[in-house]
Amino acid sequence: MSASRARGAASDPGHGGRRRAWVELLAGRVRRQQRGPEGEPKVGESAVRLLRRHLNLGDLVLEVDGPPRKQLCLNRLIDYDGPGAHTDLSSSLIGSALRDQAAQLGVPAAVLSSQVVASGLVQVCEADAGPPPKVLMTPDQRKKLSSLFEIAQNLLAQSMFSRLSFCQELWKVQNSLLLEAVWRLHVQNIVSLQELLESHADSQAVVAWLSRDLRLLCEQTEAPCQHADVARAMLSDFVQMLVLRGFQKNVDVRGTVEPEWMTQVAVAVLERMLASALEALAAGIQEGSAAHKAVSCWFSVFSGHMYRSIISTESPKRFFCHTLTQILTHKPVLKVSDAVQMQREWSFARTPPLLSGLYRRLFVILSPEELVDCLQEVLETREVNWQHVLSCVSTLVICLPDAQQLVNGWVSRLLAHAFESCDLDSMVLAFLVARQAALEGPAAFPSYAAWFQAAFGSARGFHSCSKKALVFLFKFLSDLVPFEAPRYLQVHVLHPPLVPSKYRALLTDYVALARTRLADLKVSIENMGLYEDLSSAGDVTEPHRQTSQDVEKAIMVFEHTGKIPAAVLEASIFRRSYYLSHFLPALLTPRVLPRVPDSRAVLIESLRRAEKIPPSLYSTYRQACSTVREKPEDAASRREVEPSCAEEPLGLLTTALRELRASVTDPPQHDALSAQMAVISEQLRSALGLSEDDSDVEGAQVQLSVRAPELQPWEQRVVDLLLTSFCQNLMAASSVAPPDRQGPWAAHFVRTLCRRRLLPALLSRLCQLLRHQGPSLSASHVVGLAALAVHLGESRSALPEVHVGPPTPARGLPVPELFDILLPCRTQESSALCLKFCTAAISYSLCKFSSQSHDILYSCLSPGLIKKFQFIVFRWFSEARDPPSWEDPASSPWRPLCLPSADWRRAALCLWKQRTSRELLQREGLRLTYRDWLQLELEIQPEVDSLSDTERRDFHQWAIHQHFLPAPSATGGCDGDLEVACTTLVDVLMDFCQSSRSYDHSENSDLVVGGCTGNRDIFSRLQ
């Protein structure tokens, strides 16, 4: 066919109509090619260049002549899927064919091999018909790629593969490359990621390409697919390479590129990925969306376990510092005035969970000191995003236990520098940081009122050094007034800085300005409540609700002291507007007067006699009461003013508590406990109808009526929910690990409960449950409440004293000693509850603080409870009266207590025989002495005692004659002296008869001496 076509061409007439002979055509072609010897190299170079640009590299090997039926086709080599794939087509044949072809083309064999493999790689990547964009390969593509990589590795072994040429060919078709193929080149040691990136001349193009594909990889990593493990491995390898190359001191040790080039590319890619994630967060991405999943996936690369292989270097730490700096300086558009007004919206509980989770991951590798240093350096040298800065401060004080002291020290340094050089920036920063930390509650940082008083309320304050410092302070406070929340202005007015008398005008001017601003905001200092919380950064409490709370508080104080509260007397003189317009009308609400005057009526009468109620107002009140004809329950419902406690906030609190249980029972989530407790604290404030920030309990007083504890229905619902959650969490956590390996969740939980408004309700409910409803409590409730008591004792230094009313003297008691009063052991039922509670509390303490000194039990538990445990064990278990066996390796009784059917007898004896508990019970101050035993035995009511008369007599004989009488006085005995024993008995009897402890004993008891009741059998011991 070719010959005939040639003949036809020769006979075909041209444009001139003359037919040319074949010889003439050949002669003409020869004449055109005769250009001289110097043209031949140029023609050769042009031909090679033309072939390299336009050659179909996938079919090139087909043109190589070889043995019969052994022509190579790269596509067939890749697609071959049988066993012994290259048995016939050996590596030497592939190399020989490529060398021959390279020789014919006049190009190096390594260059040609690289081009052929690159072409095959592109064909594999384009083989998937799925819709773009994509970064992962299909199983079929992976299989083909594996065959291609075998060829490439054989070529490498024969030194017939140029990595540089291969990279250059790939960059020509970078839009067709799949990221997984690039990663597998790295894993198979054909071309490393670093080599591939360094081979591109345009750094901006590299950054754009890699950032785009990494975002796609993040989206596909979080999507449900069977190749998620591959995607995570890819992401990990890429991030490790970028971190190592971008944040190591000695970059490019091989010297193949400029030292800064690869560092710039790596840092730029990481910065672009973080910036896009932060922008997505700022735009308000919806949870569950593709963008949300991509951001979550990228933030997961900051988990410490991803850097285990490079943790020995300083690269991860430098990367995390750089990341924190980028977060703090990302799009600084807000001004300081915006931060002052909006910072309450940036508390930990209101920070997006993805962002707070990113902060917590950064905190894992960076120490608290490094974090504070980084914050300080960024704030001093850069424009910052105030929302990110303040939300970072909130996360810092919530999640790191050492942060409070560090932040406090940082704020003190800022104030010192501000007053030393009149630096306004340091002053602004100090106030913003202190207020932000105070928003997280007293468990994390002192309240704003407490901090402001500590900083400026004494002669040692930062402002007291000179007049210049005073002028600077009041100028700063005055400039803040237009942007301040009312709460802060109230703190400044009611707790002003200490100012020398000669500079009093500065304070007077500021107070006048602040009062004017409060008046503009319709918030009056005069109309503030008597017991209003000034530590809150939230909105001011509505007047009617605050007034009702003031009345209830005043009545409660009056019940326990019998005197008109000092706050009421002060208000009647210094805050007469609030007293006459709000407090008295609320107190004198018309009602059906009880036949026997109650506390409210007695308080009103006392105020009338003290001339603190205008006669006309009192007369109107009495007349209105006489006309009231309501049913008792209607009057009660009208008197009762409950804060709003909607179902929605209570439901949110329930949900937050349920999520806490998942963290408690899952050890890997223990680092998220502080974060979850912050969410619970936020929901708790909403459920209780409190302000934005409940103050700490420092300086507060808790009044508690043991005889008839009362709390509002809404308070009881919230407290019951919290107590139930604590008990359930404790049992769930104990099913997974003993108390000493449960983490700090219980302590954090209890600190959340220790708030000014919540603590009285909590203690009142505990009084109801333990003293009045004890027999109805289940075993899990007893165990949970015992652990709660231990952690309340652990926080005793931060808790106020409890002023307990009848039947005990109205005196202040530490919280641990309150449980001694709530758990009497006069009857069989009360003794059983006391034994269960003491067994659970002591067992929990010994297990929880096993690695610490026993001295901690002095603060966690009342010595009275420990002595009651010994007292009941002696009474009930005759085997406990035998000398202890110190060789008895009794195990901890904590585990049996957590079972659904707890055996309390077995648990108590197990605790009694345990070596550590025996050592504890022998310590001075915790040992049951003869006097202690007599005092407790006197309270026993024989008619409801667990022991019969005979058993009780035998027990008394053993206790006096065999146990306490022969015991040395150093251990609480009588040194064998019967006279000492009798004298002590008489002293205790006299004290008992005179003590107001016996006030609530039954008048029907068998023994009544001077109005006091007691165990009549003790008197027979005098004989």
Side-chain angles (χ1 to χ4, degrees):
M1 289 180 65
S2 60
S4 63
R5 283 196 301 268
R7 285 192 299 269
S11 62
D12 189 31
H15 292 286
R18 186 178 65 86
R19 298 179 62 184
R20 301 174 63 188
W22 180 253
V23 175
E24 289 178 348
L25 289 173
L26 293 177
R29 182 175 180 85
V30 170
R31 281 195 301 271
R32 285 196 299 270
Q33 289 182 346
Q34 289 178 354
R35 301 293 184 186
E38 69 280 357
E40 292 182 3
K42 294 182 179 180
V43 172
E45 291 176 3
S46 300
V48 171
R49 192 161 51 249
L50 182 65
L51 286 172
R52 290 186 62 184
R53 288 183 179 178
H54 301 288
L55 196 61
N56 185 350
L57 296 175
D59 298 330
L60 176 63
V61 184
L62 290 173
E63 301 179 10
V64 180
D65 293 329
R69 298 179 301 279
K70 298 298 182 183
Q71 289 183 336
L72 296 178
C73 179
L74 191 59
N75 289 334
R76 297 208 318 258
L77 291 177
I78 296 173
D79 293 340
Y80 192 76
D81 195 25
H86 300 297
T87 302
D88 297 328
L89 300 171
S90 64
S91 301
S92 59
L93 175 59
I94 297 173
S96 176
L98 288 172
R99 274 192 293 269
D100 292 345
Q101 183 67 21
Q104 292 182 14
L105 295 174
V107 297
V111 173
L112 180 61
S113 300
S114 303
Q115 294 171 346
V116 172
V117 174
S119 176
L121 179 62
V122 172
Q123 292 178 25
V124 171
C125 291
E126 294 176 341
D128 183 17
K134 52 186 179 294
V135 291
L136 297 178
M137 309 182 83
T138 64
D140 185 57
Q141 284 177 302
R142 294 191 184 107
K143 202 174 296 182
K144 292 179 180 180
L145 195 65
S146 177
S147 301
L148 177 64
F149 283 174
E150 288 183 24
I151 297 174
Q153 286 170 338
N154 290 330
L155 294 173
L156 276 169
Q158 301 175 49
S159 300
M160 290 183 56
F161 189 84
S162 170
R163 287 188 168 93
L164 179 59
S165 297
F166 179 71
C167 293
Q168 291 173 345
E169 293 297 326
L170 291 183
W171 284 123
K172 294 177 183 178
V173 290
Q174 68 182 42
N175 292 330
S176 299
L177 283 179
L178 293 181
L179 194 62
E180 182 179 345
V182 174
W183 172 69
R184 291 188 180 277
L185 286 170
H186 171 82
V187 173
Q188 297 294 331
N189 293 320
I190 296 174
V191 173
S192 69
L193 298 174
Q194 181 175 324
E195 286 179 297
L196 179 63
L197 298 179
E198 289 176 348
S199 64
H200 201 296
D202 187 353
S203 61
Q204 295 299 322
V206 172
V207 170
W209 170 78
L210 187 54
S211 301
R212 180 202 65 193
D213 278 15
L214 284 177
R215 280 194 293 272
L216 293 173
L217 179 62
C218 288
E219 292 178 6
Q220 298 185 25
T221 300
E222 293 297 312
C225 68
Q226 57 181 337
H227 308 300
D229 292 341
V230 173
R232 280 190 285 269
M234 289 172 57
L235 188 61
S236 176
D237 286 347
F238 274 104
V239 171
Q240 286 190 31
M241 185 274 296
L242 293 172
V243 170
L244 271 176
R245 292 297 296 156
F247 296 94
Q248 63 179 348
K249 290 183 179 179
N250 300 319
V251 296
D252 189 37
V253 294
R254 296 180 294 105
T256 56
V257 294
E258 291 297 323
E260 296 82 7
W261 193 91
M262 188 60 203
T263 298
Q264 292 175 356
V265 169
V267 171
V269 171
L270 294 171
E271 286 182 344
R272 183 175 292 196
M273 291 298 295
L274 179 60
S276 64
L278 294 176
E279 289 169 5
L281 277 181
I285 53 178
Q286 185 176 1
E287 187 172 358
S289 63
H292 185 276
K293 292 178 180 179
V295 172
S296 176
C297 178
W298 182 250
F299 284 175
S300 70
V301 306
F302 294 94
S303 300
H305 64 82
M306 184 170 286
Y307 303 95
R308 271 187 230 137
S309 60
I310 60 173
I311 200 65
S312 58
T313 69
E314 288 294 312
S315 298
K317 182 171 287 190
R318 282 193 287 269
F319 170 50
F320 278 38
C321 283
H322 183 83
T323 299
L324 181 60
T325 301
Q326 184 182 350
I327 295 172
L328 301 179
T329 57
H330 177 74
K331 291 191 175 179
V333 295
L334 295 175
K335 298 180 292 186
V336 171
S337 58
D338 299 324
V340 171
Q341 293 176 298
M342 301 170 61
Q343 68 177 125
R344 57 179 291 199
E345 303 297 329
W346 304 331
S347 64
F348 179 85
R350 299 186 180 188
T351 300
L354 285 177
L355 183 58
S356 61
L358 175 59
Y359 289 140
R360 294 202 304 272
R361 291 187 175 100
L362 297 177
F363 296 171
V364 171
I365 289 185
L366 301 176
S367 67
E369 293 80 5
E370 290 171 329
L371 289 168
V372 172
D373 290 344
C374 182
L375 276 168
Q376 185 171 351
E377 181 182 356
V378 171
L379 289 164
E380 289 176 352
T381 59
R382 309 276 290 275
E383 290 291 327
V384 296
N385 182 319
W386 284 110
Q387 180 178 1
H388 289 175
V389 169
L390 297 179
S391 62
C392 181
V393 170
S394 285
T395 308
L396 185 66
V397 298
I398 282 290
C399 296
L400 297 182
D402 299 332
Q404 176 177 339
Q405 184 178 356
L406 291 171
V407 172
N408 215 349
W410 177 29
V411 171
S412 297
R413 292 194 300 272
L414 287 171
L415 287 177
H417 180 263
F419 282 100
E420 181 181 348
S421 56
C422 292
D423 184 3
L424 188 60
D425 290 340
S426 297
M427 193 73 166
V428 168
L429 184 55
F431 271 74
L432 284 175
V433 171
R435 290 179 178 183
Q436 191 68 29
L439 285 176
E440 304 306 329
F445 198 81
S447 65
Y448 179 71
W451 173 81
F452 189 80
Q453 285 181 281
F456 307 108
S458 68
R460 295 174 297 176
F462 297 97
H463 64 296
S464 58
C465 55
S466 64
K467 179 182 178 181
K468 181 181 179 182
L470 280 172
V471 171
F472 175 67
L473 171 63
F474 285 109
K475 174 66 166 58
F476 169 76
L477 293 177
S478 300
D479 291 341
L480 279 183
V481 165
F483 313 103
E484 291 274 45
R487 286 294 184 195
Y488 295 130
L489 292 174
Q490 290 174 340
V491 170
H492 298 166
V493 171
L494 296 180
H495 305 288
L498 183 65
V499 177
S501 57
K502 59 182 177 180
Y503 302 130
R504 197 75 179 173
L506 294 173
L507 175 61
T508 304
D509 292 343
Y510 170 75
V511 169
L513 179 63
R515 285 177 176 270
T516 302
R517 175 60 178 167
L518 287 171
D520 293 340
L521 297 173
K522 296 181 172 54
V523 177
S524 174
I525 291 289
E526 288 75 11
N527 290 339
M528 284 179 55
L530 305 184
Y531 302 97
E532 190 163 351
D533 175 17
L534 296 181
S535 302
S536 168
D539 296 329
V540 177
T541 308
E542 294 182 9
H544 71 275
R545 197 170 82 185
Q546 181 62 49
T547 304
S548 65
Q549 293 173 359
D550 287 343
V551 170
E552 293 171 3
K553 182 72 173 178
I555 293 173
M556 184 183 300
V557 173
F558 180 76
E559 281 181 352
H560 293 283
T561 63
K563 300 178 181 179
I564 299 174
V568 176
L569 292 175
E570 291 175 359
S572 68
I573 301 173
F574 301 107
R575 301 180 55 200
R576 195 163 180 80
S577 173
Y578 172 79
Y579 179 77
L580 293 175
S581 303
H582 295 83
F583 180 78
L584 283 183
L587 178 65
L588 300 177
T589 301
R591 60 175 183 146
V592 176
L593 296 177
R595 293 180 181 178
V596 178
D598 58 5
S599 300
R600 189 188 195 100
V602 177
L603 174 60
I604 292 173
E605 185 61 24
S606 299
L607 288 171
R608 185 190 68 81
R609 288 198 303 267
E611 298 181 353
K612 296 300 180 182
I613 301 179
S616 59
L617 183 60
Y618 181 78
S619 176
T620 303
Y621 163 71
R622 295 291 297 185
Q623 184 178 0
C625 289
S626 65
T627 60
V628 171
R629 291 294 181 265
E630 295 177 328
K631 295 180 181 180
E633 56 268 23
D634 294 338
S637 64
R638 197 171 81 174
R639 286 199 309 268
E640 199 174 80
V641 181
E642 295 185 7
S644 61
C645 185
E647 292 298 328
E648 182 180 356
L650 202 61
L652 295 175
L653 176 61
T654 304
T655 301
L657 291 170
R658 191 181 304 117
E659 292 174 354
L660 174 65
R661 193 176 311 165
S663 301
V664 166
T665 55
D666 188 4
Q669 295 190 37
H670 280 177
D671 59 342
L673 285 174
S674 298
Q676 188 61 34
M677 287 310 308
V679 175
I680 291 174
S681 179
E682 177 77 12
Q683 300 303 337
L684 183 60
R685 287 195 292 267
S686 177
L688 289 172
L690 299 179
S691 305
E692 185 71 23
D693 175 42
D694 196 18
S695 79
D696 57 11
V697 294
E698 184 179 356
Q701 288 188 355
V702 177
Q703 305 287 341
L704 179 64
S705 174
V706 175
R707 178 184 291 276
E710 295 181 357
L711 65 164
Q712 299 293 336
W714 63 272
E715 292 178 324
Q716 182 170 331
R717 290 181 63 189
V718 174
V719 172
D720 283 351
L721 181 62
L722 294 169
L723 293 179
T724 301
S725 174
F726 183 87
C727 295
Q728 291 175 346
N729 288 343
L730 181 70
M731 302 304 287
S734 298
S735 67
V736 177
D740 57 332
R741 296 208 304 269
Q742 289 179 13
W745 77 267
H748 288 186
F749 194 104
V750 172
R751 282 200 296 269
T752 302
L753 304 183
C754 296
R755 297 182 179 275
R756 185 185 297 267
R757 302 275 180 86
L758 184 58
L759 185 61
L762 173 67
L763 297 180
S764 296
R765 187 57 177 154
L766 289 175
C767 181
Q768 290 178 347
L769 293 173
L770 295 176
R771 190 174 177 90
H772 301 284
Q773 304 172 24
S776 64
L777 296 177
S778 66
S780 61
H781 285 141
V782 173
V783 171
L785 295 181
L788 179 73
V790 170
H791 287 290
L792 282 172
E794 186 183 11
S795 305
R796 67 182 298 170
S797 60
L799 298 180
E801 289 188 338
V802 182
H803 293 265
V804 182
T808 60
R811 60 188 180 90
L813 291 175
V815 170
E817 293 186 21
L818 172 65
F819 289 94
D820 190 12
I821 295 175
L822 300 183
L823 293 163
C825 45
R826 295 193 299 269
T827 66
Q828 181 177 359
E829 282 190 344
S830 61
S831 296
L833 176 64
C834 185
L835 177 65
K836 294 175 183 179
F837 191 92
C838 294
T839 302
I842 297 173
S843 300
Y844 181 81
S845 298
L846 290 175
C847 188
K848 181 70 176 178
F849 308 112
S850 58
S851 60
Q852 302 180 35
S853 169
H854 284 171
D855 292 338
I856 194 171
L857 288 178
Y858 281 104
S859 60
C860 292
L861 290 177
S862 165
L865 283 183
I866 299 177
K867 292 177 181 180
K868 284 185 177 181
F869 170 74
Q870 301 172 67
F871 172 73
I872 300 174
V873 169
F874 276 141
R875 287 189 105 249
W876 283 18
F877 309 124
S878 58
E879 55 263 51
R881 302 169 193 172
D882 299 329
S885 173
W886 294 102
E887 301 302 324
D888 187 357
S891 60
S892 171
W894 175 252
R895 188 72 178 176
L897 292 179
C898 300
L899 300 177
S901 56
D903 187 344
W904 291 100
R905 176 186 178 92
R906 176 175 173 269
L909 286 175
C910 179
L911 177 62
W912 180 263
K913 296 176 182 179
Q914 192 181 23
R915 178 181 294 274
T916 54
S917 67
R918 295 297 303 170
E919 293 174 351
L920 172 69
L921 300 180
Q922 295 302 316
R923 293 172 65 90
E924 185 178 357
L926 301 180
R927 186 190 301 111
L928 181 69
T929 65
Y930 178 51
R931 179 176 292 273
D932 297 329
W933 176 80
L934 286 172
Q935 291 171 344
L936 292 170
E937 192 67 32
L938 271 173
E939 292 188 351
I940 297 294
Q941 298 178 6
E943 64 277 6
V944 285
D945 188 12
S946 59
L947 302 181
S948 65
D949 292 343
T950 303
E951 290 172 334
R952 189 163 51 252
R953 183 178 61 253
D954 292 342
F955 170 61
H956 290 174
Q957 290 288 343
W958 170 85
I960 295 176
H961 295 285
Q962 298 181 41
H963 186 68
F964 291 112
L965 182 60
S969 58
T971 61
C974 302
D975 286 324
D977 191 335
L978 189 59
E979 182 179 352
V980 172
C982 293
T983 302
T984 304
L985 176 54
V986 172
D987 290 343
V988 171
L989 282 171
M990 296 300 294
D991 291 341
F992 177 76
C993 292
Q994 297 173 4
S995 173
S996 62
R997 298 178 55 177
S998 56
Y999 176 80
D1000 67 334
H1001 287 192
S1002 171
E1003 296 181 0
N1004 296 323
S1005 179
D1006 292 334
L1007 176 64
V1008 181
V1009 181
C1012 297
T1013 66
N1015 186 350
R1016 64 184 182 276
D1017 293 342
I1018 288 295
F1019 286 86
S1020 64
R1021 303 287 80 83
L1022 282 173
Q1023 301 174 1

